[in-house]
Amino acid sequence: FSENFIENFLGKEWMKSQGWKGGGYSSWFFPSLAQIFFGIMMEAREHLRETSGCPEGGGELLKAQENMCEIWTQISMLPEIPIDREAPLTEEILRDPCHPVTTLLLRLYSFECFLYGSLNKALRFGDLSKVQSLGPYAHAMDTIVWSAGYNREKIKEEDLKEVDLYRGCCMTEAQIQKYRDAIPKGREIQLFGH
């Protein structure tokens, strides 16, 4: 994402309230792990409210929201994350592909849950209502992805010939084979739809 895109998505006033002074990424703030998970839990509550079918304000919905937040709290407190969860993350942490925080944030995106869909939809359609909940996670992910792209070596096509990559959607081997069978003979699946 460009700085302008982030500015438009998050809003200049919110960015300034979080410590941004302008002038590119070098002066940009980084959220804490606590801010990221607080936002994810806000979004989880909203997602349950919109999709559960439970009456709003009812005990079932509140209990489901509490349970969901407890799960996200447990994930945020994993013992292999050796940092102060209240301290802002650093550029050094987010640019290190092997750091436990980076791998956790990437793993969260791969979970089969509301998170990746909500984030993708908010970014695709510029949904500013998601700024408070998903903004910190989106910014951390942007830094991780940008750094990975900037620092990677050239990928050779032959390195990818035997790679099978499936989004975490719990498909059976028969379902996967159905996709394989749908590929016209002599054609290869292109990366990223290109």
Side-chain angles (χ1 to χ4, degrees):
F1 309 109
S2 70
E3 182 180 325
N4 288 337
F5 178 82
I6 293 172
E7 183 179 304
N8 290 335
F9 182 70
L10 295 176
K12 216 176 228 182
E13 293 309 310
W14 185 82
M15 290 169 60
K16 286 180 181 176
S17 75
Q18 300 298 312
W20 181 72
K21 296 172 182 60
Y25 279 116
S26 61
S27 61
W28 179 246
F29 79 99
F30 289 103
S32 68
L33 204 54
Q35 288 172 314
I36 290 171
F37 275 93
F38 180 78
I40 290 172
M41 287 187 264
M42 282 176 56
E43 190 61 29
R45 287 178 179 279
E46 180 64 18
H47 179 75
L48 278 172
R49 189 189 63 70
E50 292 173 353
T51 63
S52 70
C54 295
E56 194 148 347
E60 280 183 350
L61 178 60
L62 293 175
K63 184 65 176 166
Q65 289 174 327
E66 287 174 19
N67 289 341
M68 179 68 79
C69 289
E70 177 58 30
I71 290 167
W72 284 104
T73 299
Q74 289 175 11
I75 293 169
S76 76
M77 300 306 287
L78 289 171
E80 59 265 19
I81 308 299
I83 65 166
D84 176 359
R85 285 156 175 77
E86 299 293 330
L89 296 173
T90 64
E91 197 167 352
E92 180 182 354
I93 288 172
L94 294 173
R95 287 187 173 193
D96 179 355
C98 298
H99 194 282
V101 170
T102 303
T103 58
L104 173 65
L105 295 177
L106 289 168
R107 187 169 291 134
L108 295 179
Y109 188 78
S110 72
F111 282 2
E112 189 63 32
C113 69
F114 69 91
L115 184 58
Y116 75 90
S118 294
L119 181 61
N120 288 352
K121 185 177 177 184
L123 291 171
R124 185 176 301 121
F125 298 111
D127 183 356
L128 298 179
S129 72
K130 303 296 183 186
V131 169
Q132 291 295 321
S133 59
L134 295 177
Y137 180 66
H139 179 60
M141 287 295 289
D142 177 60
T143 303
I144 292 167
V145 172
W146 179 88
S147 180
Y150 182 79
N151 294 316
R152 77 172 191 192
E153 294 180 18
K154 179 110 173 103
I155 297 174
K156 300 177 192 92
E157 188 174 335
E158 61 267 10
D159 292 342
L160 300 174
K161 291 280 186 196
E162 299 300 318
V163 173
D164 291 324
L165 179 63
Y166 303 98
R167 180 120 193 12
C169 59
C170 301
M171 294 175 73
T172 66
E173 186 59 38
Q175 291 169 319
I176 294 170
Q177 189 59 47
K178 186 175 177 182
Y179 281 97
R180 288 181 183 137
D181 293 344
I183 302 170
K185 299 297 178 213
R187 275 205 60 184
E188 296 179 21
I189 295 176
Q190 297 293 312
L191 216 56
F192 308 115
H194 298 286

